[in-house]
Amino acid sequence: MKILPFLLALLLVAFHGAAGRSLVRPRRPYMECGYRGTFCHRGKCPRGNDYLGSCRLGYNCCRW
């Protein structure tokens, strides 16, 4: 009976580290766009602008 509190404390410590983790993987990481000459544009970037990555679904992050 004296070992029961020890096992309970051990379980709490073991599960405490896993509490903030999610089992679901995040979707594709999107860029934050709209700072220092960047903008979100639907489809391809306009001519003369550089493609940086994806802002959100169907939009690309472009640089002036």
Side-chain angles (χ1 to χ4, degrees):
M1 289 302 254
K2 290 182 179 180
I3 199 166
L4 191 59
F6 175 73
L7 289 176
L8 181 63
L10 186 64
L11 283 175
L12 287 174
V13 170
F15 287 115
H16 179 70
R21 297 182 186 164
S22 176
L23 297 177
V24 179
R25 295 182 103 184
R27 287 188 176 190
R28 182 174 161 191
Y30 293 111
M31 294 185 67
E32 285 189 33
C33 209
Y35 60 92
R36 286 194 176 192
T38 62
F39 61 96
C40 262
H41 188 268
R42 186 174 184 118
K44 285 181 146 182
C45 293
R47 190 175 195 174
N49 296 302
D50 297 325
Y51 169 80
L52 298 176
S54 296
C55 298
R56 55 184 186 260
L57 189 63
Y59 286 82
N60 292 322
C61 187
C62 306
R63 180 175 36 207
W64 295 108

